[in-house]
């Protein structure tokens, strides 16, 4: 008999102040955000995670982002894909992972981005065993940043 479980998604949100050397400017606005999740069904498993941080000063904005994922199966096929894109208006990362064994599958997807307005991270997971109801989870975290004066 196939066994199905879903692991809890987690969310991390905080406004942070990091150790900064005396010659550096203090952040006028700063924050970090992240989300991640895992799904399992039968002999399949898929997990993704994303995190981002930003610091806005009078001289500009510095941001970082990290995303990743993995998938595994005892038999069948597994794949994962991660992309990071940057343009003048945003920094965005996306990771997808999926494992399939006949009709049983697990998948997870995380999108994380930094814009002038703030940070956000969203994770969706799903697992399914044929003949049973799919198990889904969705986590979305938003952290608005104050507008520059």
């Amino acid at each position: 008999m196939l066994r199905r479980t879903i692991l809890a998604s987690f969310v991390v949100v905080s406004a942070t102040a990091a150790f900064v050397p005396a010659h550096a400017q203090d952040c006028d606005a700063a924050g970090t955000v992240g989300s991640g999740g895992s799904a399992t069904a039968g002999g399949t498993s898929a997990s993704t995670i994303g995190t981002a941080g930003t610091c806005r000063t009078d001289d500009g904005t510095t941001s970082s982002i990290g995303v990743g994922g993995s998938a595994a199966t005892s038999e069948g096929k597994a794949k994962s894909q991660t992309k990071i894109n940057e343009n003048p208006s945003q920094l965005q990362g996306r990771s997808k992972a999926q494992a399939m064994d006949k009709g049983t599958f697990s998948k997870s997807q995380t999108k994380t981005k930094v814009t002038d307005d703030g940070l956000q991270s969203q994770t969706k997971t799903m697992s399914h065993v044929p003949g049973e109801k799919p198990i889904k989870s969705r986590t979305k975290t938003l952290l608005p940043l104050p507008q520059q004066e």
Side-chain angles (χ1 to χ4, degrees), residues 2 41-46 71-78 99-102 104 106:
L2 293 175
T44 66
S45 175
T73 181
S74 56
E75 296 178 27
K77 296 180 181 181
M100 298 179 70
D101 183 7
K102 298 179 184 159
T104 300
S106 301

Side-chain angles (χ1 to χ4, degrees), residues 27-39:
C27 297
D28 297 327
T32 59
V33 68
S35 69
S38 297

Side-chain angles (χ1 to χ4, degrees), residues 10 12 34-38 47-51 66-70 82 93-96 108-112 121-123:
F10 63 91
V12 179
S35 69
S38 297
S47 301
T48 57
I49 189 168
T51 184
V67 291
S70 65
T82 299
R94 179 177 177 164
S95 187
K96 293 181 179 182
S108 182
Q109 175 178 306
T110 298
K111 296 178 185 179
T112 303
S121 188
Q122 174 178 311
T123 298

Side-chain angles (χ1 to χ4, degrees), residues 1-93:
M1 174 178 226
L2 293 175
R3 189 178 76 136
R4 176 173 49 165
T5 60
I6 190 161
L7 301 177
S9 296
F10 63 91
V11 178
V12 179
V13 178
S14 67
T16 61
F19 174 78
V20 179
H23 63 281
Q25 291 183 347
D26 290 333
C27 297
D28 297 327
T32 59
V33 68
S35 69
S38 297
T40 63
T44 66
S45 175
S47 301
T48 57
I49 189 168
T51 184
T54 193
C55 172
R56 186 184 301 151
T57 67
D58 293 338
D59 293 336
T61 301
T62 302
S63 299
S64 64
I65 196 164
V67 291
S70 65
T73 181
S74 56
E75 296 178 27
K77 296 180 181 181
K79 64 180 179 178
S80 62
Q81 181 180 30
T82 299
K83 293 182 180 182
I84 295 179
N85 297 316
E86 178 184 16
N87 64 44
S89 64
Q90 72 178 6
L91 179 61
Q92 180 176 324

